[in-house]
């Protein structure tokens, strides 16, 4: 859905290019693959009526700035088929392991697409594969819970440590953390497990 909304903007000016991009992206990030990632990495969550891939599509519309909120994306979706409460519950209960696996898997599948387009560019550091780490605290949440209404600051819902591959221009890994007050160094364990020889 998010991909379609973006491609629709360019359809008239370059229909062949849009068709090629659509086919590549549908193959790389198919709904079936997203459902497999969910099934493989979920712990307590399950699928009843709302598919994980539908949630990813709706969140994609928000992340890309095509819709101002999840609520607006849900209202514009003809295929949602569940209540807003069910949607918010699914998002709220999405486990960090599922999110991390989605990011890593997307990067693996898109690397094959991106790498040929980036050939011939000078490496960032000769002889090394460069990775950039960046921590990010998720935006403070609203004060809907009664215990938070007396505090000046809003509650921090969590943070993430993102691994970016500048030579591919892709985020290749992400470590989500539900503890917003944990130091970024505490999240380094899972990142260091993924480091390979020759990476800087």
């Amino acid at each position: 859905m998010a991909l379609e909304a973006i491609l629709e903007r360019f359809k008239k000016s370059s229909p062949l290019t849009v068709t090629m991009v659509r086919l590549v992206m549908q193959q790389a990030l198919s709904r079936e693959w997203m459902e497999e990632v969910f099934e493989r990495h979920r712990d307590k969550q399950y699928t009843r009526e709302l598919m994980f891939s539908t949630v990813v599509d709706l969140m994609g519309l928000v992340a890309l700035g095509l819709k101002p909120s999840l609520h607006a994306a849900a209202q514009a979706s003809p295929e949602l088929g569940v209540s807003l409460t069910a949607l918010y519950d699914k998002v709220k209960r999405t486990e960090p392991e599922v999110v991390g696996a989605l990011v890593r898997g997307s990067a693996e599948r898109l690397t094959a697409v991106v790498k040929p387009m980036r050939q011939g560019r000078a490496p960032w550091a000769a002889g090394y594969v460069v990775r950039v780490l960046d921590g990010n605290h998720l935006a403070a949440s609203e004060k809907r819970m009664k215990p938070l209404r007396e505090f000046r600051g809003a509650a921090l819902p969590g943070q993430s440590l993102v691994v970016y591959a500048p030579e591919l221009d892709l985020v290749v890994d992400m470590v989500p953390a539900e503890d917003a007050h944990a130091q970024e160094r505490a999240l380094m364990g899972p990142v260091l497990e993924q480091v390979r020889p020759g990476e800087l």
Side-chain angles (χ1 to χ4, degrees):
M1 186 188 303
L3 174 64
E4 290 300 321
I6 292 170
L7 294 178
E8 201 59 40
R9 296 178 176 183
F10 303 100
K11 197 173 181 180
K12 286 182 183 172
S13 59
S14 185
L16 182 60
T17 307
V18 167
T19 302
M20 289 168 47
V21 170
R22 177 181 284 122
L23 291 171
V24 168
M25 295 300 285
Q26 283 174 346
Q27 177 63 31
L29 303 174
S30 69
R31 287 180 172 272
E32 294 80 16
W33 173 75
M34 284 190 250
E35 295 305 330
E36 285 174 24
V37 169
F38 177 76
E39 287 300 323
R40 211 170 333 142
H41 296 279
R42 71 180 177 84
D43 183 30
K44 295 178 182 165
Q45 276 200 309
Y46 54 88
T47 300
R48 199 174 277 162
E49 294 176 42
L50 180 59
M51 304 297 284
F52 177 68
S53 55
T54 302
V55 175
V56 173
D57 272 345
L58 293 172
M59 294 299 289
L61 290 171
V62 178
L64 294 168
L66 299 172
K67 294 292 177 189
S69 66
L70 182 58
H71 186 268
Q75 286 186 320
S77 172
E79 63 180 57
L80 184 57
V82 296
S83 68
L84 283 172
T85 303
L87 172 63
Y88 279 108
D89 283 346
K90 184 91 168 181
V91 171
K92 183 171 57 176
R93 290 185 175 89
T94 299
E95 296 149 332
E97 293 77 19
V98 174
V99 176
L102 184 67
V103 172
R104 282 188 298 279
S106 298
E108 287 171 15
R109 294 170 74 93
L110 290 173
T111 295
V113 176
V114 172
K115 217 171 193 173
M117 295 187 289
R118 311 282 295 176
Q119 283 181 344
R121 296 181 186 222
W124 277 48
Y128 292 97
V129 175
V130 177
R131 297 290 181 258
V132 178
L133 299 178
D134 187 21
N136 180 37
H137 284 277
L138 304 178
S141 62
E142 296 179 30
K143 300 181 185 181
R144 293 184 182 184
M145 296 186 295
K146 192 172 183 179
L148 298 175
R149 291 181 191 153
E150 302 299 318
F151 292 100
R152 284 185 78 192
L156 294 172
Q159 65 172 308
S160 60
L161 186 60
V162 175
V163 182
Y164 173 69
E167 291 159 330
L168 295 174
D169 200 19
L170 273 178
V171 171
V172 294
D173 198 1
M174 196 261 292
V175 180
E178 295 174 301
D179 181 0
H181 301 285
Q183 192 177 38
E184 287 173 2
R185 281 187 229 155
L187 304 179
M188 285 299 294
V191 174
L192 292 175
E193 289 173 14
Q194 302 293 327
V195 174
R196 300 180 187 118
E199 287 187 343
L200 174 64

